[in-house]
Amino acid sequence: MPYVTVTALSHPGLMRDHNEDSLAVGPWTLCGTVTENPQTLGFPLGTPLVVAVADGIGGQPAGEVASSLVVRHLASLGPTLDSEQAVRDALDACNHSVYAVADGDPELITMGTTVAGIVVLPTELLVFNVGDSRVLDVSGGHAALHRMSVDDSPAPEPGRRTTSIVTQSLGGAPRFTEITPHISTTPLTTGRRYLVCTDGLTDPVPEEAIDEVLRAQDGGRAAFGLWKSAIEAGGPDNITLALIGIVD
C-alpha cells in the first residue's frame, strides 16, 4: 500500500544569529530551532497530509514569530485541507492571523513570512506558495528540476541569479494586505519525490547542483547533502527543507 515519507531539517546557516524559518510535517512543527540531523517520518495515504516551510522575512521584526504562527496554523488545519479552496481559505486565515498578532504589539508591526508546501491527498497533490520559498518536483524524470511553485519576486538584476525581494507575503506590511496564493493540483504518482524548501537553499545552490545531489542520494543522505551544499556555498541564510517521497 502506498505511503508517504518526509525527511526534514532546519538550520540557521553560517551568517544568521538565529533561525527565522519554521516547518510543518503533518501535526509536527519545528519553529525557529535547529535539527541536529535530518529527521524522517512516515505517513499512510488517506487523511490530508500537509508539509510546509515558512521563511520569516529578514530585515523586519520577528520573522520567527510570523513563520511559526503560519506553520502551526497549517498543522492544526492539515486534516481539513482537502481541496484548493480549503488551502486558499487556510492561507487567508494565516495572513489575517499574522496581521492580528502584529497589530497587538508595536514591536511586531510589519513582521511577515513566506510559505510553500504540499498537501498529499489519496490521489493527488495540492501545491501552494506565497513568496519565494519553493516546491520542486525532484523525481529525476525531467531534464532538470521541475519548479511547481511560482516565485513572488521581480526578475533578478543583470548578472545576478537571484533576488532577495518578495512581492507578496503573509503579513509584512504596516496595514493589512490581501494575498493571492499560488495553488495547483497534480495527480499523485508513486515513486515521485518532491522538495519543499526556503531560499536559504535555492539562493546559494543552483538547481543543477540540487539535482546532482538528489540523483545520487535519497532520504536522510540527500537532505544532509543539500544542507552541506548550502553551507559550502557560504550558508548566507537559514536553511529549511523537506524531501517528500511517495512510496509504493
Side-chain angles (χ1 to χ4, degrees):
M1 181 176 180
Y3 62 98
V4 185
T5 64
V6 183
T7 301
L9 64 77
S10 188
H11 189 275
L14 299 178
M15 305 297 290
R16 308 285 185 174
D17 60 4
H18 66 292
N19 192 356
E20 294 188 306
D21 287 356
S22 296
L23 170 73
V25 180
W28 180 69
T29 60
L30 187 69
C31 302
T33 55
V34 180
T35 47
E36 294 294 332
N37 296 291
Q39 306 294 309
T40 299
L41 302 172
F43 301 88
L45 279 178
T47 302
L49 172 70
V50 62
V51 181
V53 298
D55 180 357
I57 297 175
Q60 296 179 203
E64 70 280 5
V65 176
S67 68
S68 65
L69 277 171
V70 168
V71 299
R72 286 171 176 156
H73 202 63
L74 290 174
S76 69
L77 292 173
T80 72
L81 302 179
D82 57 359
S83 67
E84 289 191 13
Q85 187 59 53
V87 173
R88 185 172 290 104
D89 291 344
L91 294 174
D92 285 340
C94 288
N95 191 38
H96 279 277
S97 179
V98 172
Y99 277 106
V101 172
D103 287 345
D105 186 339
E107 294 187 357
L108 302 182
I109 295 296
T110 73
M111 74 174 182
T113 183
T114 69
V115 68
I118 287 177
V119 181
V120 184
L121 302 177
T123 61
E124 58 192 12
L125 304 174
L126 304 175
V127 178
F128 63 90
N129 80 286
V130 177
D132 61 354
S133 291
R134 287 184 183 168
V135 181
L136 302 169
D137 182 341
V138 298
S139 302
H142 303 279
L145 301 184
H146 174 59
R147 193 179 304 178
M148 305 176 77
S149 55
V150 179
D151 283 357
D152 288 312
S153 299
E157 296 178 2
R160 297 183 62 88
R161 189 175 58 82
T162 63
T163 176
S164 61
I165 299 170
V166 293
T167 56
Q168 183 175 220
S169 62
L170 305 179
R175 295 184 179 180
F176 178 79
T177 302
E178 296 280 357
I179 56 170
T180 304
H182 306 283
I183 306 173
S184 61
T185 302
T186 189
L188 181 141
T189 305
T190 57
R192 302 199 75 84
R193 293 190 298 166
Y194 305 91
L195 177 65
V196 180
C197 62
T198 60
D199 65 354
L201 174 64
T202 53
D203 275 2
V205 184
E207 288 189 356
E208 313 85 75
I210 293 174
D211 187 39
E212 184 177 347
V213 170
L214 292 172
R215 286 180 184 273
Q217 300 171 326
D218 199 1
R221 289 182 179 273
F224 179 82
L226 293 174
W227 168 82
K228 183 179 178 183
S229 295
I231 292 297
E232 290 177 344
D237 200 356
N238 306 152
I239 308 154
T240 300
L241 63 94
L243 186 61
I244 303 159
I246 312 300
V247 182
D248 194 351

